[in-house]
Amino acid sequence: MSLTAADITDLRTALKLLDQHGELAQTDVEADPVAELCGAYRHIGAGGTVARPTRIGPAMLFNKVKRHPGARVAIGVLSSRKRAALLLGTEPERLGWHLMDALQHLIQPTAIKGIAPCQEAVHRADEPGFDLRRLVPAPTNTPEDAGPYVTMGLLYGKDPENGDEDVTIHRMCLQGPDTLSVWFSPGRHIDVFRAKAEAAGKPLPVSVSIGLDPAIYLGACFEPPMTPIGFNELAIAGALRGRAVEQCACLTVDAKALAWAEYVIEGEILPNVRIAEDAQSGNGKAMPEFPGYCGPSDPQTPVMRVTAVTHRLHPIMQTTIGPSEEHVNLAGIPTEASILGLVERAMPGRVRNVYAASCGGGKFMAVLQFRKATIADEGRQRQAALLAFSAFPELKHVFLVDDDVDPFDMSDVLWAMTTRYQGNFDTVFLPGVRGHVLDPTQSPLYDARIPARGVGCKAIFDCTVPFDQKERFQRAPFMEVDPGKFLI
């Protein structure tokens, strides 16, 4: 039976749809999850800010994984806009608008009826021989990684004071038979929940769901202010699919998990317990992050004590390469939707599209395609850029282009910068603003004048033509011709 995006309920149906469209490659050659698997996919389809040579290629399913009989590993499911659009039933250039629309039509998650597929097999930590590292085939991106990482795990937690729920993706390193370290980027909501529980001297019950419907991952990657604390991002995925995301109760902790996940790790984030993220390697590195560099290890990482691992039969571990195009899309498409949502409310019809560019890892750079309809719109393009920084505070650079420039074609964007921009007139600097701790330039180590890690200078590059000079900047007009009749 031919599938469509409307038929996707989990990772398996998503992979079947990709296979139907020639967007999935499979191999029965055994791959070592320690560096080899990601090293191979770096060439096959990673893209993004990964060190060259790399490319955007098919998603990949490794059917045999060394030391993990019966398990499989999927990687790169969302490593192209074409695939993301296919999986959501839209067009690549409409992805931001599609997610923005979902924000207006939320469908809250619901409890599954009957036994959850994610609990077909159950391994409790109090059973003899329990070892998280044996049960979960988490890869390392490189030989220098601090250890095996869960990179596509959806961490669930709830506010211990009011019961608000949240789901987010974090890097989580397998540190021992029943120990995970969880690195929280500053401001993440579950870290707020963790801090509240810690202040009360209590652990925070959590779950980590791995291997999911791609709509769930994309919905979970929205950030404040579009999704403030107390906002359950699973409602966005529900809107994208037109039906509620199904959850189930965990078996060993007071938390919920995603019912159709391939793997679920249950446990508690312990109060006042920390571990060096690189405890196993001692090399000061964590894993490659979206800017393209190895993220520094955190010497004081919160610890999750694992109480159980559950999974489906013949489970599929889902993973991603930290700086890959997959991260660009996971972070960038919700960023685009957030910017479109805020700017559209402020000045309807002016921003035609937004692209969170690959070179910025989906977080640091956005291209805004702006239409100046009248002379009164002159200057409003820069207001739109300021709103973009408000919609997504981790953004570093905004490029403004006219509506005759393709915002998804960086050569066209740089053409506009080359021919429609003067650095001393058309650059707006916003120094001393909070950005992101993973930008290596936002650090006193880069320049002593920078006051703290994660603080830097944001910039607007206005590559739009002054309204009263539009005639001078008309692109060469070609005859509209159907090329099909000339191609055999």
Side-chain angles (χ1 to χ4, degrees), residues 162-279:
N162 60 27
D164 283 346
E165 298 177 313
D166 191 68
V167 289
T168 14
I169 299 174
H170 303 274
R171 73 183 192 215
M172 293 174 271
C173 187
L174 279 60
Q175 299 285 2
D178 64 350
T179 306
L180 270 176
S181 62
V182 184
W183 186 73
F184 292 99
S185 180
R188 293 297 185 261
H189 292 164
I190 293 182
D191 195 34
V192 175
F193 301 166
R194 179 204 60 78
K196 286 183 178 183
E198 185 169 84
K202 297 179 179 179
L204 180 71
V206 294
S207 71
V208 181
S209 298
I210 308 165
L212 305 168
D213 173 357
I216 294 175
Y217 284 120
L218 285 165
C221 286
F222 275 90
E223 296 187 18
M226 298 307 289
T227 53
I229 195 163
F231 187 107
N232 191 335
E233 289 86 355
L234 292 176
I236 302 172
L240 288 169
R241 290 293 179 227
R243 59 180 178 272
V245 172
E246 293 184 310
Q247 296 178 287
C248 64
C250 290
L251 301 178
T252 59
V253 293
D254 181 21
K256 297 175 185 175
L258 277 295
W260 291 87
E262 294 289 328
Y263 288 89
V264 173
I265 303 172
E266 301 180 4
E268 299 174 321
I269 299 179
L270 302 175
N272 303 306
V273 177
R274 302 291 187 272
I275 190 173
E277 197 172 7
D278 65 342

Side-chain angles (χ1 to χ4, degrees), residues 37-73:
L37 188 150
C38 289
Y41 194 68
R42 172 261 184 107
H43 292 282
I44 293 166
T49 59
V50 170
R52 273 50 185 164
T54 188
R55 68 186 183 98
I56 296 175
M60 192 87 180
L61 186 60
F62 291 84
N63 291 319
K64 292 183 179 179
V65 184
K66 194 171 184 179
R67 295 179 297 279
H68 294 276
R72 297 166 285 173
V73 174

Side-chain angles (χ1 to χ4, degrees), residues 66 112 237 258 392 442 445:
K66 194 171 184 179
I112 193 171
L258 277 295
F392 191 73
Q442 295 182 34
L445 296 174

Side-chain angles (χ1 to χ4, degrees), residues 133 144-149 171 173-176 179-181 274-287 296-303:
R133 298 164 298 183
E144 296 182 333
D145 285 15
Y149 272 92
R171 73 183 192 215
C173 187
L174 279 60
Q175 299 285 2
T179 306
L180 270 176
S181 62
R274 302 291 187 272
I275 190 173
E277 197 172 7
D278 65 342
Q280 300 170 79
S281 66
N283 64 6
K285 298 180 179 181
M287 58 164 281
S297 66
D298 184 348
Q300 293 288 316
T301 318
V303 171

Side-chain angles (χ1 to χ4, degrees), residues 314-389:
H314 309 294
I316 304 172
M317 177 70 186
Q318 190 170 359
T319 192
T320 189
I321 290 177
S324 69
E325 192 73 10
E326 186 156 35
H327 185 282
V328 171
N329 292 324
L330 283 165
I333 296 170
T335 296
E336 294 163 13
S338 298
I339 294 170
L340 286 166
L342 190 57
V343 178
E344 186 67 11
R345 287 200 295 273
M347 47 185 83
R350 292 301 181 264
V351 171
R352 311 307 295 271
N353 223 327
V354 177
Y355 174 43
S358 177
C359 52
K363 284 179 174 280
F364 285 171
M365 178 184 163
V367 183
L368 272 64
Q369 185 190 44
F370 192 92
R371 179 176 178 267
K372 298 177 186 176
T374 70
I375 187 64
D377 286 330
E378 190 61 65
R380 297 188 81 193
Q381 75 276 14
R382 298 187 182 189
Q383 289 179 321
L386 293 172
L387 286 170
F389 289 126

